[in-house]
Amino acid sequence: MRRVEMLGSGPVTRQASGRLVVETRGQGFTEITSEVAGFVREAGLRQGLLTVFCRHTSASLTIQENADPDVRTDLMTALDRLAPRDVPYVHGIEGPDDMPAHIRTLLTDAALSIPVVEGRLALGTWQGVYLIEHRDRPHRREIVLHLAGS
């Protein structure tokens, strides 16, 4: 039988909320790990759970490898195959990239939950937090962060 190592316990005594605005350059990944980690440091909580939430339906969030940029290139290729732009979608009033962007958001995440242990994000060695812009043009995206813990 496997045993779970206790990393921390106690009551939830504090919380902090914040907002991060990300200017994208169009379709692709924008790493936001350092900004998110900075928020956690500034909040001063040692243990807790961080929620990172994207307030848009044509952009999303993911935790992905941050060592080799080829991973992100291949992921964009996979999303292109799963939600192509050249399909005659019914919803097209906002342009040919809008409906594929909604599908890509459906396939990825609007929100992430990340444990905070000893005042740091409990990410793996090669993991980073990314905003994925699914539209072709640059956009101003708003991310809401909420940390609850002690």
Side-chain angles (χ1 to χ4, degrees):
M1 184 167 115
R2 294 187 179 109
R3 180 170 141 64
V4 175
E5 175 188 0
M6 183 65 67
L7 298 177
S9 67
V12 174
T13 58
R14 292 183 46 217
Q15 62 180 331
S17 296
R19 180 173 64 105
L20 171 64
V21 175
V22 179
E23 303 282 345
T24 69
R25 291 181 279 168
Q27 187 179 178
F29 287 76
T30 301
E31 187 168 7
I32 59 172
T33 310
S34 63
E35 293 89 345
V36 172
F39 167 77
V40 169
R41 277 191 308 277
E42 187 177 322
L45 278 75
R46 301 292 299 155
Q47 311 291 333
L49 184 64
L50 175 67
T51 301
V52 184
F53 178 75
C54 180
R55 297 187 66 197
H56 304 277
T57 60
S58 58
S60 59
L61 299 166
T62 192
I63 295 174
Q64 221 9 280
E65 178 178 326
N66 63 2
D68 184 354
D70 289 345
V71 171
R72 294 183 298 278
T73 299
D74 288 342
L75 289 171
M76 290 305 294
T77 300
L79 287 172
D80 287 340
R81 288 186 187 127
L82 292 169
R85 285 174 161 64
D86 58 354
V87 172
Y89 298 105
V90 174
H91 173 73
I93 194 165
E94 296 178 57
D97 66 335
D98 188 51
M99 192 59 220
H102 291 303
I103 295 168
R104 292 163 192 228
T105 298
L106 175 76
L107 295 170
T108 53
D109 293 310
L112 303 171
S113 296
I114 306 170
V116 172
V117 178
E118 297 180 13
R120 298 178 53 157
L121 298 172
L123 294 172
T125 301
W126 307 114
Q127 288 183 317
V129 180
Y130 292 89
L131 169 73
I132 312 171
E133 176 62 65
H134 299 298
R135 300 293 304 268
D136 292 337
R137 295 182 329 275
H139 282 80
R140 182 180 174 98
R141 301 304 192 172
E142 187 173 311
I143 307 299
V144 176
L145 302 112
H146 181 258
L147 177 59
S150 58

